[in-house]
Structures are given as C-alpha cells and as structure tokens.
PDB file of all heavy atoms in Angstrom:
ATOM      1  N   THR A  18       2.435 -26.275 -17.398  1.00 98.00           N
ATOM      2  CA  THR A  18       3.162 -25.016 -17.247  1.00 98.00           C
ATOM      3  C   THR A  18       2.393 -23.971 -18.050  1.00 98.00           C
ATOM      4  O   THR A  18       1.876 -24.263 -19.127  1.00 98.00           O
ATOM      5  CB  THR A  18       4.614 -25.103 -17.757  1.00 98.00           C
ATOM      6  OG1 THR A  18       4.603 -25.477 -19.131  1.00 98.00           O
ATOM      7  CG2 THR A  18       5.425 -26.117 -16.952  1.00 98.00           C
ATOM      8  N   PHE A  19       2.306 -22.771 -17.505  1.00 98.00           N
ATOM      9  CA  PHE A  19       1.569 -21.715 -18.194  1.00 98.00           C
ATOM     10  C   PHE A  19       1.974 -20.351 -17.656  1.00 98.00           C
ATOM     11  O   PHE A  19       2.599 -20.238 -16.604  1.00 98.00           O
ATOM     12  CB  PHE A  19       0.054 -21.921 -18.059  1.00 98.00           C
ATOM     13  CG  PHE A  19      -0.477 -21.750 -16.663  1.00 98.00           C
ATOM     14  CD1 PHE A  19      -1.056 -20.559 -16.266  1.00 98.00           C
ATOM     15  CD2 PHE A  19      -0.404 -22.789 -15.740  1.00 98.00           C
ATOM     16  CE1 PHE A  19      -1.540 -20.387 -14.979  1.00 98.00           C
ATOM     17  CE2 PHE A  19      -0.890 -22.638 -14.461  1.00 98.00           C
ATOM     18  CZ  PHE A  19      -1.462 -21.428 -14.074  1.00 98.00           C
ATOM     19  N   SER A  20       1.586 -19.327 -18.404  1.00 98.00           N
ATOM     20  CA  SER A  20       1.784 -17.938 -18.002  1.00 98.00           C
ATOM     21  C   SER A  20       0.427 -17.332 -17.689  1.00 98.00           C
ATOM     22  O   SER A  20      -0.576 -17.701 -18.309  1.00 98.00           O
ATOM     23  CB  SER A  20       2.430 -17.135 -19.129  1.00 98.00           C
ATOM     24  OG  SER A  20       3.684 -17.670 -19.466  1.00 98.00           O
ATOM     25  N   ALA A  21       0.409 -16.406 -16.757  1.00 98.00           N
ATOM     26  CA  ALA A  21      -0.830 -15.693 -16.426  1.00 98.00           C
ATOM     27  C   ALA A  21      -0.485 -14.244 -16.134  1.00 98.00           C
ATOM     28  O   ALA A  21       0.462 -13.963 -15.400  1.00 98.00           O
ATOM     29  CB  ALA A  21      -1.511 -16.328 -15.219  1.00 98.00           C
ATOM     30  N   VAL A  22      -1.240 -13.348 -16.730  1.00 98.00           N
ATOM     31  CA  VAL A  22      -1.095 -11.919 -16.457  1.00 98.00           C
ATOM     32  C   VAL A  22      -2.313 -11.516 -15.638  1.00 98.00           C
ATOM     33  O   VAL A  22      -3.452 -11.698 -16.067  1.00 98.00           O
ATOM     34  CB  VAL A  22      -1.006 -11.092 -17.754  1.00 98.00           C
ATOM     35  CG1 VAL A  22      -0.934  -9.606 -17.432  1.00 98.00           C
ATOM     36  CG2 VAL A  22       0.196 -11.536 -18.583  1.00 98.00           C
ATOM     37  N   ILE A  23      -2.048 -10.985 -14.448  1.00 98.00           N
ATOM     38  CA  ILE A  23      -3.116 -10.654 -13.510  1.00 98.00           C
ATOM     39  C   ILE A  23      -3.184  -9.134 -13.349  1.00 98.00           C
ATOM     40  O   ILE A  23      -2.210  -8.494 -12.934  1.00 98.00           O
ATOM     41  CB  ILE A  23      -2.870 -11.311 -12.127  1.00 98.00           C
ATOM     42  CG1 ILE A  23      -2.558 -12.817 -12.257  1.00 98.00           C
ATOM     43  CG2 ILE A  23      -4.019 -11.029 -11.179  1.00 98.00           C
ATOM     44  CD1 ILE A  23      -3.637 -13.651 -12.888  1.00 98.00           C
ATOM     45  N   ALA A  24      -4.341  -8.563 -13.672  1.00 98.00           N
ATOM     46  CA  ALA A  24      -4.553  -7.122 -13.514  1.00 98.00           C
ATOM     47  C   ALA A  24      -4.571  -6.775 -12.029  1.00 98.00           C
ATOM     48  O   ALA A  24      -4.905  -7.616 -11.190  1.00 98.00           O
ATOM     49  CB  ALA A  24      -5.875  -6.719 -14.165  1.00 98.00           C
ATOM     50  N   PRO A  25      -4.226  -5.544 -11.679  1.00 97.00           N
ATOM     51  CA  PRO A  25      -4.223  -5.151 -10.267  1.00 97.00           C
ATOM     52  C   PRO A  25      -5.529  -5.462  -9.537  1.00 97.00           C
ATOM     53  O   PRO A  25      -5.508  -5.884  -8.376  1.00 97.00           O
ATOM     54  CB  PRO A  25      -3.970  -3.638 -10.315  1.00 97.00           C
ATOM     55  CG  PRO A  25      -3.184  -3.437 -11.566  1.00 97.00           C
ATOM     56  CD  PRO A  25      -3.755  -4.441 -12.537  1.00 97.00           C
ATOM     57  N   GLU A  26      -6.653  -5.301 -10.227  1.00 97.00           N
ATOM     58  CA  GLU A  26      -7.951  -5.554  -9.585  1.00 97.00           C
ATOM     59  C   GLU A  26      -8.107  -7.004  -9.154  1.00 97.00           C
ATOM     60  O   GLU A  26      -8.876  -7.309  -8.245  1.00 97.00           O
ATOM     61  CB  GLU A  26      -9.103  -5.184 -10.537  1.00 97.00           C
ATOM     62  CG  GLU A  26      -9.166  -3.708 -10.876  1.00 97.00           C
ATOM     63  CD  GLU A  26      -8.153  -3.273 -11.935  1.00 97.00           C
ATOM     64  OE1 GLU A  26      -7.536  -4.124 -12.603  1.00 97.00           O
ATOM     65  OE2 GLU A  26      -7.978  -2.055 -12.085  1.00 97.00           O
ATOM     66  N   GLU A  27      -7.419  -7.918  -9.821  1.00 97.00           N
ATOM     67  CA  GLU A  27      -7.475  -9.341  -9.483  1.00 97.00           C
ATOM     68  C   GLU A  27      -6.219  -9.787  -8.740  1.00 97.00           C
ATOM     69  O   GLU A  27      -6.015 -10.975  -8.514  1.00 97.00           O
ATOM     70  CB  GLU A  27      -7.641 -10.179 -10.761  1.00 97.00           C
ATOM     71  CG  GLU A  27      -9.014 -10.047 -11.388  1.00 97.00           C
ATOM     72  CD  GLU A  27     -10.082 -10.752 -10.581  1.00 97.00           C
ATOM     73  OE1 GLU A  27      -9.917 -11.938 -10.265  1.00 97.00           O
ATOM     74  OE2 GLU A  27     -11.090 -10.091 -10.254  1.00 97.00           O
ATOM     75  N   GLY A  28      -5.361  -8.810  -8.416  1.00 97.00           N
ATOM     76  CA  GLY A  28      -4.133  -9.085  -7.678  1.00 97.00           C
ATOM     77  C   GLY A  28      -4.216  -8.462  -6.298  1.00 97.00           C
ATOM     78  O   GLY A  28      -5.006  -8.873  -5.459  1.00 97.00           O
ATOM     79  N   TYR A  29      -3.436  -7.414  -6.099  1.00 95.00           N
ATOM     80  CA  TYR A  29      -3.396  -6.741  -4.803  1.00 95.00           C
ATOM     81  C   TYR A  29      -4.189  -5.444  -4.789  1.00 95.00           C
ATOM     82  O   TYR A  29      -4.073  -4.650  -3.865  1.00 95.00           O
ATOM     83  CB  TYR A  29      -1.939  -6.493  -4.389  1.00 95.00           C
ATOM     84  CG  TYR A  29      -1.227  -7.786  -4.095  1.00 95.00           C
ATOM     85  CD1 TYR A  29      -0.449  -8.409  -5.065  1.00 95.00           C
ATOM     86  CD2 TYR A  29      -1.349  -8.406  -2.864  1.00 95.00           C
ATOM     87  CE1 TYR A  29       0.195  -9.614  -4.810  1.00 95.00           C
ATOM     88  CE2 TYR A  29      -0.719  -9.605  -2.592  1.00 95.00           C
ATOM     89  CZ  TYR A  29       0.053 -10.197  -3.572  1.00 95.00           C
ATOM     90  OH  TYR A  29       0.670 -11.388  -3.316  1.00 95.00           O
ATOM     91  N   GLY A  30      -5.005  -5.228  -5.823  1.00 95.00           N
ATOM     92  CA  GLY A  30      -5.850  -4.045  -5.882  1.00 95.00           C
ATOM     93  C   GLY A  30      -5.103  -2.828  -6.397  1.00 95.00           C
ATOM     94  O   GLY A  30      -3.903  -2.864  -6.638  1.00 95.00           O
ATOM     95  N   GLN A  31      -5.852  -1.774  -6.589  1.00 96.00           N
ATOM     96  CA  GLN A  31      -5.269  -0.501  -6.996  1.00 96.00           C
ATOM     97  C   GLN A  31      -4.758   0.228  -5.760  1.00 96.00           C
ATOM     98  O   GLN A  31      -5.184  -0.054  -4.641  1.00 96.00           O
ATOM     99  CB  GLN A  31      -6.315   0.367  -7.705  1.00 96.00           C
ATOM    100  CG  GLN A  31      -6.756  -0.169  -9.040  1.00 96.00           C
ATOM    101  CD  GLN A  31      -5.670  -0.075 -10.108  1.00 96.00           C
ATOM    102  OE1 GLN A  31      -4.605   0.511  -9.917  1.00 96.00           O
ATOM    103  NE2 GLN A  31      -5.939  -0.677 -11.260  1.00 96.00           N
ATOM    104  N   GLN A  32      -3.857   1.174  -5.973  1.00 94.00           N
ATOM    105  CA  GLN A  32      -3.407   2.036  -4.877  1.00 94.00           C
ATOM    106  C   GLN A  32      -4.615   2.829  -4.362  1.00 94.00           C
ATOM    107  O   GLN A  32      -5.394   3.365  -5.157  1.00 94.00           O
ATOM    108  CB  GLN A  32      -2.340   3.010  -5.379  1.00 94.00           C
ATOM    109  CG  GLN A  32      -1.015   2.379  -5.669  1.00 94.00           C
ATOM    110  CD  GLN A  32      -0.110   2.347  -4.446  1.00 94.00           C
ATOM    111  OE1 GLN A  32      -0.260   3.111  -3.508  1.00 94.00           O
ATOM    112  NE2 GLN A  32       0.841   1.438  -4.469  1.00 94.00           N
ATOM    113  N   LYS A  33      -4.754   2.901  -3.047  1.00 94.00           N
ATOM    114  CA  LYS A  33      -5.814   3.693  -2.425  1.00 94.00           C
ATOM    115  C   LYS A  33      -5.165   4.941  -1.825  1.00 94.00           C
ATOM    116  O   LYS A  33      -4.401   4.834  -0.861  1.00 94.00           O
ATOM    117  CB  LYS A  33      -6.525   2.882  -1.347  1.00 94.00           C
ATOM    118  CG  LYS A  33      -7.246   1.669  -1.889  1.00 94.00           C
ATOM    119  CD  LYS A  33      -7.886   0.869  -0.774  1.00 94.00           C
ATOM    120  CE  LYS A  33      -8.550  -0.367  -1.350  1.00 94.00           C
ATOM    121  NZ  LYS A  33      -9.019  -1.262  -0.287  1.00 94.00           N
ATOM    122  N   PRO A  34      -5.444   6.112  -2.402  1.00 95.00           N
ATOM    123  CA  PRO A  34      -4.809   7.344  -1.918  1.00 95.00           C
ATOM    124  C   PRO A  34      -5.017   7.588  -0.424  1.00 95.00           C
ATOM    125  O   PRO A  34      -4.159   8.156   0.241  1.00 95.00           O
ATOM    126  CB  PRO A  34      -5.467   8.445  -2.755  1.00 95.00           C
ATOM    127  CG  PRO A  34      -5.989   7.748  -3.965  1.00 95.00           C
ATOM    128  CD  PRO A  34      -6.333   6.349  -3.535  1.00 95.00           C
ATOM    129  N   GLU A  35      -6.162   7.145   0.094  1.00 92.00           N
ATOM    130  CA  GLU A  35      -6.437   7.383   1.520  1.00 92.00           C
ATOM    131  C   GLU A  35      -5.511   6.601   2.446  1.00 92.00           C
ATOM    132  O   GLU A  35      -5.438   6.868   3.644  1.00 92.00           O
ATOM    133  CB  GLU A  35      -7.905   7.073   1.858  1.00 92.00           C
ATOM    134  CG  GLU A  35      -8.309   5.617   1.727  1.00 92.00           C
ATOM    135  CD  GLU A  35      -8.815   5.204   0.341  1.00 92.00           C
ATOM    136  OE1 GLU A  35      -8.548   5.932  -0.645  1.00 92.00           O
ATOM    137  OE2 GLU A  35      -9.467   4.159   0.251  1.00 92.00           O
ATOM    138  N   LEU A  36      -4.772   5.621   1.895  1.00 92.00           N
ATOM    139  CA  LEU A  36      -3.818   4.854   2.706  1.00 92.00           C
ATOM    140  C   LEU A  36      -2.425   5.492   2.706  1.00 92.00           C
ATOM    141  O   LEU A  36      -1.493   4.949   3.288  1.00 92.00           O
ATOM    142  CB  LEU A  36      -3.749   3.408   2.223  1.00 92.00           C
ATOM    143  CG  LEU A  36      -5.031   2.592   2.423  1.00 92.00           C
ATOM    144  CD1 LEU A  36      -4.833   1.168   1.914  1.00 92.00           C
ATOM    145  CD2 LEU A  36      -5.466   2.598   3.872  1.00 92.00           C
ATOM    146  N   ILE A  37      -2.299   6.637   2.037  1.00 94.00           N
ATOM    147  CA  ILE A  37      -1.051   7.399   2.078  1.00 94.00           C
ATOM    148  C   ILE A  37      -1.321   8.623   2.950  1.00 94.00           C
ATOM    149  O   ILE A  37      -2.230   9.410   2.666  1.00 94.00           O
ATOM    150  CB  ILE A  37      -0.587   7.803   0.662  1.00 94.00           C
ATOM    151  CG1 ILE A  37      -0.331   6.549  -0.169  1.00 94.00           C
ATOM    152  CG2 ILE A  37       0.654   8.689   0.735  1.00 94.00           C
ATOM    153  CD1 ILE A  37      -0.024   6.808  -1.628  1.00 94.00           C
ATOM    154  N   GLN A  38      -0.560   8.733   4.037  1.00 93.00           N
ATOM    155  CA  GLN A  38      -0.810   9.801   5.005  1.00 93.00           C
ATOM    156  C   GLN A  38       0.495  10.454   5.441  1.00 93.00           C
ATOM    157  O   GLN A  38       1.542   9.801   5.476  1.00 93.00           O
ATOM    158  CB  GLN A  38      -1.505   9.252   6.246  1.00 93.00           C
ATOM    159  CG  GLN A  38      -2.833   8.606   5.982  1.00 93.00           C
ATOM    160  CD  GLN A  38      -3.449   8.021   7.241  1.00 93.00           C
ATOM    161  OE1 GLN A  38      -2.837   7.970   8.300  1.00 93.00           O
ATOM    162  NE2 GLN A  38      -4.690   7.575   7.121  1.00 93.00           N
ATOM    163  N   ILE A  39       0.393  11.727   5.790  1.00 95.00           N
ATOM    164  CA  ILE A  39       1.528  12.433   6.360  1.00 95.00           C
ATOM    165  C   ILE A  39       1.324  12.472   7.875  1.00 95.00           C
ATOM    166  O   ILE A  39       0.267  12.882   8.361  1.00 95.00           O
ATOM    167  CB  ILE A  39       1.645  13.859   5.790  1.00 95.00           C
ATOM    168  CG1 ILE A  39       1.917  13.784   4.285  1.00 95.00           C
ATOM    169  CG2 ILE A  39       2.748  14.635   6.515  1.00 95.00           C
ATOM    170  CD1 ILE A  39       1.925  15.116   3.577  1.00 95.00           C
ATOM    171  N   MET A  40       2.342  11.987   8.579  1.00 93.00           N
ATOM    172  CA  MET A  40       2.293  11.914  10.035  1.00 93.00           C
ATOM    173  C   MET A  40       3.369  12.836  10.617  1.00 93.00           C
ATOM    174  O   MET A  40       4.420  13.025  10.005  1.00 93.00           O
ATOM    175  CB  MET A  40       2.572  10.481  10.510  1.00 93.00           C
ATOM    176  CG  MET A  40       1.739   9.405   9.859  1.00 93.00           C
ATOM    177  SD  MET A  40       0.073   9.346  10.490  1.00 93.00           S
ATOM    178  CE  MET A  40       0.360   8.746  12.135  1.00 93.00           C
ATOM    179  N   PRO A  41       3.127  13.370  11.821  1.00 95.00           N
ATOM    180  CA  PRO A  41       4.181  14.157  12.463  1.00 95.00           C
ATOM    181  C   PRO A  41       5.292  13.245  12.977  1.00 95.00           C
ATOM    182  O   PRO A  41       5.047  12.085  13.331  1.00 95.00           O
ATOM    183  CB  PRO A  41       3.452  14.830  13.619  1.00 95.00           C
ATOM    184  CG  PRO A  41       2.314  13.921  13.932  1.00 95.00           C
ATOM    185  CD  PRO A  41       1.910  13.304  12.615  1.00 95.00           C
ATOM    186  N   ARG A  42       6.498  13.756  12.997  1.00 93.00           N
ATOM    187  CA  ARG A  42       7.646  12.999  13.509  1.00 93.00           C
ATOM    188  C   ARG A  42       7.362  12.499  14.923  1.00 93.00           C
ATOM    189  O   ARG A  42       7.788  11.417  15.311  1.00 93.00           O
ATOM    190  CB  ARG A  42       8.911  13.884  13.476  1.00 93.00           C
ATOM    191  CG  ARG A  42      10.136  13.282  14.163  1.00 93.00           C
ATOM    192  CD  ARG A  42      10.614  12.061  13.371  1.00 93.00           C
ATOM    193  NE  ARG A  42      11.832  11.499  13.892  1.00 93.00           N
ATOM    194  CZ  ARG A  42      11.892  10.482  14.758  1.00 93.00           C
ATOM    195  NH1 ARG A  42      10.804   9.940  15.230  1.00 93.00           N
ATOM    196  NH2 ARG A  42      13.046   9.997  15.140  1.00 93.00           N
ATOM    197  N   SER A  43       6.599  13.255  15.698  1.00 92.00           N
ATOM    198  CA  SER A  43       6.292  12.886  17.087  1.00 92.00           C
ATOM    199  C   SER A  43       5.536  11.548  17.184  1.00 92.00           C
ATOM    200  O   SER A  43       5.597  10.889  18.213  1.00 92.00           O
ATOM    201  CB  SER A  43       5.482  13.991  17.762  1.00 92.00           C
ATOM    202  OG  SER A  43       4.257  14.207  17.077  1.00 92.00           O
ATOM    203  N   ALA A  44       4.877  11.130  16.120  1.00 89.00           N
ATOM    204  CA  ALA A  44       4.179   9.847  16.124  1.00 89.00           C
ATOM    205  C   ALA A  44       5.164   8.685  16.146  1.00 89.00           C
ATOM    206  O   ALA A  44       4.786   7.538  16.411  1.00 89.00           O
ATOM    207  CB  ALA A  44       3.261   9.730  14.913  1.00 89.00           C
ATOM    208  N   PHE A  45       6.434   8.980  15.882  1.00 88.00           N
ATOM    209  CA  PHE A  45       7.475   7.949  15.845  1.00 88.00           C
ATOM    210  C   PHE A  45       8.533   8.202  16.921  1.00 88.00           C
ATOM    211  O   PHE A  45       9.683   7.813  16.776  1.00 88.00           O
ATOM    212  CB  PHE A  45       8.145   7.927  14.459  1.00 88.00           C
ATOM    213  CG  PHE A  45       7.201   7.592  13.336  1.00 88.00           C
ATOM    214  CD1 PHE A  45       6.510   8.600  12.679  1.00 88.00           C
ATOM    215  CD2 PHE A  45       7.003   6.281  12.943  1.00 88.00           C
ATOM    216  CE1 PHE A  45       5.640   8.308  11.644  1.00 88.00           C
ATOM    217  CE2 PHE A  45       6.129   5.974  11.912  1.00 88.00           C
ATOM    218  CZ  PHE A  45       5.446   6.988  11.261  1.00 88.00           C
ATOM    219  N   ASP A  46       8.141   8.869  18.009  1.00 85.00           N
ATOM    220  CA  ASP A  46       9.092   9.226  19.074  1.00 85.00           C
ATOM    221  C   ASP A  46       9.858   8.032  19.636  1.00 85.00           C
ATOM    222  O   ASP A  46      10.987   8.181  20.081  1.00 85.00           O
ATOM    223  CB  ASP A  46       8.376   9.947  20.230  1.00 85.00           C
ATOM    224  CG  ASP A  46       8.262  11.435  19.962  1.00 85.00           C
ATOM    225  OD1 ASP A  46       8.913  11.926  19.016  1.00 85.00           O
ATOM    226  OD2 ASP A  46       7.522  12.101  20.707  1.00 85.00           O
ATOM    227  N   HIS A  47       9.257   6.858  19.625  1.00 85.00           N
ATOM    228  CA  HIS A  47       9.893   5.662  20.196  1.00 85.00           C
ATOM    229  C   HIS A  47      10.991   5.095  19.290  1.00 85.00           C
ATOM    230  O   HIS A  47      11.673   4.147  19.667  1.00 85.00           O
ATOM    231  CB  HIS A  47       8.836   4.603  20.492  1.00 85.00           C
ATOM    232  CG  HIS A  47       8.050   4.184  19.280  1.00 85.00           C
ATOM    233  ND1 HIS A  47       7.093   4.979  18.701  1.00 85.00           N
ATOM    234  CD2 HIS A  47       8.112   3.065  18.537  1.00 85.00           C
ATOM    235  CE1 HIS A  47       6.582   4.358  17.649  1.00 85.00           C
ATOM    236  NE2 HIS A  47       7.185   3.192  17.514  1.00 85.00           N
ATOM    237  N   ILE A  48      11.177   5.696  18.110  1.00 88.00           N
ATOM    238  CA  ILE A  48      12.186   5.206  17.168  1.00 88.00           C
ATOM    239  C   ILE A  48      13.200   6.319  16.924  1.00 88.00           C
ATOM    240  O   ILE A  48      12.841   7.427  16.506  1.00 88.00           O
ATOM    241  CB  ILE A  48      11.537   4.767  15.839  1.00 88.00           C
ATOM    242  CG1 ILE A  48      10.521   3.657  16.128  1.00 88.00           C
ATOM    243  CG2 ILE A  48      12.593   4.302  14.848  1.00 88.00           C
ATOM    244  CD1 ILE A  48       9.619   3.357  14.983  1.00 88.00           C
TER     245      ILE A  48
END
C-alpha cells in the first residue's frame, strides 16, 4: 500500500487554452 502524488504533466496534462472555444448557438441546432 502506498501514496503517490502525480503532477499534471504526468497525469492528464496541463489545460490547453486552444481547447477552449466559443461556438455559435447554431452549431448546436440539433439540441
């Protein structure tokens, strides 16, 4: 049994600003 602290770089990575986008409502017309 043990504990481990994993930094974001060794986990799921850092937040990438380019993956946050503003879309028009029309892109979701089917919902």
Side-chain angles (χ1 to χ4, degrees):
T18 58
F19 67 98
S20 300
V22 177
I23 310 300
E26 296 79 13
E27 289 288 308
Y29 292 96
Q31 292 290 353
Q32 288 271 338
K33 296 178 182 172
E35 66 271 18
L36 294 180
I37 299 173
Q38 300 177 352
I39 296 175
M40 309 284 291
R42 172 67 175 95
S43 60
F45 298 90
D46 274 349
H47 59 286
I48 301 167

